[in-house]
Amino acid sequence: MGHFADQLSVLVSAAFSGGRALQPQNSPRRRFQLVFIKPSHYGDDGYVIRWWRAIIPSNSLAAIYGVALDCIANKVLGDDTDIDLEAIDEFNQRIDIEALVRRFKRHDNFGMVALVGVQSNQYPRALDIARPLRVAGIQVAIGGFHVSGCLSMLDGHAVGLDACRDMGISIFAGEVEGRLEGLLRDAIAGQLKPVYNFLKDLPGVEGTPVPFLPIGNLRRTLGLASSFDAGRGCPYQCSFCTIINVQGRKSRYRSPDDIEALVRANWAQGVSKYFITDDNFARNKDWEVILDRLIKLREVDHIPLGLLIQVDTLCHKLPNFIEKAKRAGVTRVFIGLENINPDNLVTAKKRQNKITEYRKMLLAWKAQGIFTLAGYILGFPNDTPASIRRDIEIIQRELPLDVVEFFCLTPLPGSEDHQTLWRKGIDMDPDLNNYDIEHVCTDHPKMTRQEWAAIYQEAWGLYYSKEHMRTLLRRTAASDAKLSSMVKLLLTFSLSNALENVHPIQVGILRRRHPSERRPGLAPEQALLFWPRLAWETVRKAGVSLSSLAWLSKEAIKAARDPERYKYMDQALTPVHDDDDETLDLMTKTSGARAAVAHIKRVDELTHAFAAKPAVRGQSA
Ligand code: B12
Ligand code: SF4
C-alpha cells in the first residue's frame, strides 16, 4: 500500500502542477532543463505532420514522463539541483527550436533534450531537430523503436545510427524504467555516453512509475484521452513484428495497484478515457486481475472509464475476457486480423490467426456492442491487386467488422523481415521517413511498387464506399451500439487517407504547417504562396469534412428511425453455422482457406474418434 500511496501522491501533485517547471521557480539552486520531445515525421508534402488536436496521445512520452516525475520526487540529482520538466509531442505542438536554444542558454546549457519514442519513420525528423541543438552545445539523447530495433537485430551501425555518433547524440536502447536516474547523473556531469544498451536486460514493469501526462499535454488531444501500457511483450513470432525483438516475448505487466494509481491521478485532472497500448492485451498474463480492478473503479467508484484495447483473434476463447472487458469500459477493440488468406498468414508466421475463428470472435464483440477495428496488411506474397479487391468484398459481405485499417507490409527496422532483407542486401527504400507502413519500401513478387502503392490507396475507397458505410450504420443500429460513435469512426477512417493523405491513426483535426518545418533539402516556399494556399486547403478540407459528416449523420438517423432496425440481418451478422465452411467465400475462395477448413475438420474428426473410443470399449466390456 505504501508504494501505491507514493505513486498516487507523485502523480496527483503533477496533475495539479500542469506539468511544466515542476519545481519552485524562485529557487536559487541549479535548474536542470529536461525537455522530452516526441518527434513527428514529414508528410509527402515535405512538411512535418502536425495537428491543432491529435487524436491519440503519445504513450512513449507518458511512460518516460512518469519515470521522470518519480526522479523529481526522489530528488535524484541531489538537494542542490531542481529539474524543470517539459514534454512536447510534435504531433500537436510546434517545436520552437530557437526558443529552446535561448532557454538552454539562459541556464548555461545545463540540461538535456531527450528525443522520445522515435520510430524509424521519425528518425530523420528527430535528427533534424537535434542538429541545431547540438550546434548550440545542448546535450541530446535519443530512444525508441528505431534505435532499439536496430541495435537488437542489426550490426550496431545500420540503419543510420552512425549519424547519432557523428552528431554526438547519445543513443539509448531498451527501456528507461530504473535507468533514467543514471542517465540524468551522466547528463549533469556533461558525460553522456555514446550508447546505452539495455536490450538484454528488460526490466520488470510491476511497481515501476506509471505512464502519465499532465492535463496541459492531454488537452492537445481530441476527447481528452490518456494512455498506459498495462504490460509489455508478446508470445507470438510474426515476422513483420518489431515489438518482440525490442520488448521481448515474455509477458511483463503492471500491478492492479499501479493501474489504479494512474486512473485516480488522471481522474483528478478530469481524464477517464484511455488507450491501453499493450500490443496484445489478451496475452497479458494478468489481464483478469487488471480488468477486475478497472471494473471496481468503474462500477464501485463510478469513474466513467472508456477504453480502447488491442487483442488477438483468439481472445474470445479466454473465458470471461470479452464480458469483463465490456464491464471495465472497453468501447473499442483493435484486432490484428492482418489478412484473410491463411497462405499469407503462414508466410508471416502469424499462425495463431485462424480465419475459421474470425466470425465467432467478431460476433462475440458485437454481442457486447463493442466496436471492432481491424488492422489489415496489404502486400503479403500472395496478394495481387485483384485478390485484394476480392478479399475486401469478402470482408464487407461476410465479416461483422466495423472498421478496417489498411497498412502496407513493411520491413520495419527491428523486425525479422527487415533483418532478412538487410542480410541478403535486397533493395529497400533508403529514406527512413517512408517507413510509416503507408508507403511501399521494397519489392513484391507479384506487384510492381507502383501497383502496390496504388492498391493501398484504392483499398480505402473500396472499403469505405457509401454503400458499405450505410450497411455498417444499419448493422450498428441493429446491434444497438452507439450510432454517434460509429459516425465519428467512419468520418475519421473514410477521410484521413483521401483528404489528408495520412493513416487514420496519425491523423488529427486541422493540419498545421509552418515554413520552418519544411524538410531540409527541399526548396523553401514563398510566403506569398504558402499562407494563402494553407488557408484555402483548410477551408476546402473543412467543407469536405462537414459534408461527409452531414451525409453520415443523415444515414445514421435513417438507420435509427427505421422501425425494422432490430430485424436487419445480412450475411455478416448471421450467427456462425456448421455449413459456413461450404457456403462462405471466406472459407472457400483460396487454397489456403480450403486447407484451413480441411485441417479443422480433420482435428475435429480425430477428437471425436478419440472421445468415442472409450465408449466403444465400454460397450464391448
Ligand atoms: C501506442 C502506439 C502508437 C500510438 C501512440 C504513439 C506512441 N508511440 O505512443 C499511435 C496510435 C499514435 C501510434 C501511431 C503510429 N505508430 Co505506433 N505504436 C504504439 C505501440 C503499440 C505502443 C507504444 C508504447 O507505448 N510503447 C511502450 C513504451 C513504454 O515503449 P517505447 O515507446 O519503446 O518507450 C520506452 C523505451 O523505448 C524508452 N525510451 C523511449 N524513448 C526514449 C528516449 C530516451 C532519451 C530514453 C532514455 C529512453 C527512451 O523508454 C520508454 C519506457 O521504457 C507501439 C508498439 C510497442 N509495443 O511499443 C507501436 C509502434 C511504436 N508504432 C509504430 C508505427 C509504425 C506507428 C505509425 C507510423 C503507424 C501509422 N502509419 O500510422 C504511427 C506514427 C504516428 C505517431 N504519432 O507516432 C511501430 C514503429 C516501428 C518502427 N521500427 O519504427 C511500432 C513499434 C509498432 C509496430 N508496428 O511495429 N502508435
Ligand atoms: S501478435 Fe502482434 S505483437 Fe505479437 S508478435 Fe504478432 S504482430 Fe507482434
Side-chain angles (χ1 to χ4, degrees), residues 234 236-238 240-241 243-244 279-280 338 350 352:
C234 175
Y236 298 127
Q237 294 188 71
C238 310
F240 54 80
C241 181
I243 294 147
I244 40 177
D279 296 280
N280 192 347
E338 322 303 15
K350 192 136 195 166
Q352 71 274 19

Side-chain angles (χ1 to χ4, degrees), residues 154 158-159 410-413 415-432 434-435 440-443 449:
L154 309 173
V159 183
T410 305
L412 286 172
S415 66
E416 183 190 325
D417 284 351
H418 178 274
Q419 190 191 50
T420 308
L421 300 188
W422 178 78
R423 280 187 179 150
K424 290 184 181 163
I426 290 174
D427 182 56
M428 290 185 273
D429 191 335
D431 184 2
L432 285 171
N434 289 336
Y435 286 67
V440 171
C441 294
T442 191
D443 291 332
R449 291 192 193 193

Side-chain angles (χ1 to χ4, degrees), residues 57 84 86 107 131 158 201 304-305 323 420 427 512 534 569:
D84 288 341
E86 187 180 6
H107 293 272
R131 206 163 286 116
D201 182 16
L305 293 174
E323 294 74 12
T420 308
D427 182 56
R512 293 251 168 115
L534 184 61
M569 183 49 74

